[in-house]
Amino acid sequence: MNSEGLWAERFRSFSKEMQKYLRYIFNGHLLFVLVFAAGGLSFYYSEWVKTLNSHFPAEIIMGVVLGILVAKSPIYTFLKDADIVFFLPLETRLGSYFFKSILLTLVIQGYIILMAFAAFMPMYAKVTGAGLGEFAWMLAILLVLKYINLQVHWHALKFQENSAPLMDGFVRLVIDILLLYFLFSGSAPAFPIVTGLLLILLWIYYRKTARKKGVKWERLIELEGKRLMSFYRFANLFTDVPKFRDKVSRRKWLDPLLRFIPYSQSSSYQFLYARTMLRANDYVGLLFRLSVIGSFVLAALPGLWAKLLVTVLFLYITGLQLLPSWKQHELKIWVSLYPIKDDLRRQAVIRIITIFLMVENVVFLATAIFSGGLLAGILSFVAGLVFILLFQAYAKNKIEKF
């Protein structure tokens, strides 16, 4: 078997699959919103950078953010469920296949690191007075660190214990953050050199220990499936994705929230979709992630208009990704057998999405008050309320077209 030909075939298949859905994603209004938001945030970011002085902790911020991006190293293997049967006897001949996967991962994630580093450049230059030459060698170090992290993570995935990749990720994260902080803060050369040597020793240890270990096919296939499902979840906002599968978790500690739903026939859909969205990993995790990210952005931008823009933007992104909850039970016949008007189903979904957005808006209210004062918080909250009211009408329109 030609492993290089197999990898090229899998890569072409993956690219074709992505392009099919990207056409729908970037044909809609999302691209316009993102361009508009990027332009507005860039303007406020540049104005904010002008207010910084040498006491601003740019090195810490860059060390933490870029350290997370460097340490987070999912590898694109393009493996499928059937591979565990057909590839297992050929494992020793797939070395070049997995090496190409690591290189492709380096290119894709290296581009993300480049974009993040470029975004931090104005802030770092203003605080430290760094020049273009310094940015060049810093970027080179970031890419080398990324490659080492990918190699360490790949060898850690061969360990039988499920805790091995988690422990590996935590140790690498700590080392990466410390190394990058020492690098950006201009510490004595001994500090980044020592932390860099720790990472290299970690690489040598995992490589030597995992040399006689085989590939853990179940783990790699599961991780690849999760990565694809993340993309399909996003693409499902714009078109039907037959391969999209939800993962459900029992969250008993959230059951008290369901007590607020009246026990009546007309509340059947409300109870069904509330429990569905609380149990599905996608929706609760989505609300948490976007609330945290939005809060950080909200706190970082000082301007009032910037805070209003960020609030509305993140509420829009959250609401847009909650809309597919309408299709959660469309293929289940028993839901259609409810002796209830279908209009109540639409109202229930919109009401639950509204509650999710209100929770996020309250989080943004607290963040805006903390970072910009009471007036900024109130105006941000009011802007969020107005948007949520408008989004209800938009959601009703959108759901009717599903």
Side-chain angles (χ1 to χ4, degrees), residues 45-58:
Y45 177 65
S46 62
E47 293 297 310
W48 172 68
V49 165
K50 295 176 183 178
T51 65
L52 302 180
N53 55 41
S54 59
H55 299 293
F56 184 77

Side-chain angles (χ1 to χ4, degrees), residues 221-237:
I221 292 171
E222 181 186 0
L223 292 174
E224 183 68 12
K226 287 181 178 179
R227 186 180 64 80
L228 283 176
M229 285 304 113
S230 297
F231 175 79
Y232 289 145
R233 184 182 305 118
F234 181 69
N236 196 56
L237 302 172

Side-chain angles (χ1 to χ4, degrees), residues 32-85:
F32 171 77
V33 172
L34 291 177
V35 171
F36 175 77
L41 291 177
S42 298
F43 170 76
Y44 285 108
Y45 177 65
S46 62
E47 293 297 310
W48 172 68
V49 165
K50 295 176 183 178
T51 65
L52 302 180
N53 55 41
S54 59
H55 299 293
F56 184 77
E59 301 88 347
I60 298 176
I61 295 173
M62 291 178 64
V64 172
V65 175
L66 293 174
I68 293 173
L69 292 178
V70 168
K72 186 174 174 58
S73 303
I75 298 173
Y76 311 138
T77 59
F78 309 131
L79 294 178
K80 301 178 181 180
D81 291 339
D83 292 342
I84 194 172
V85 177

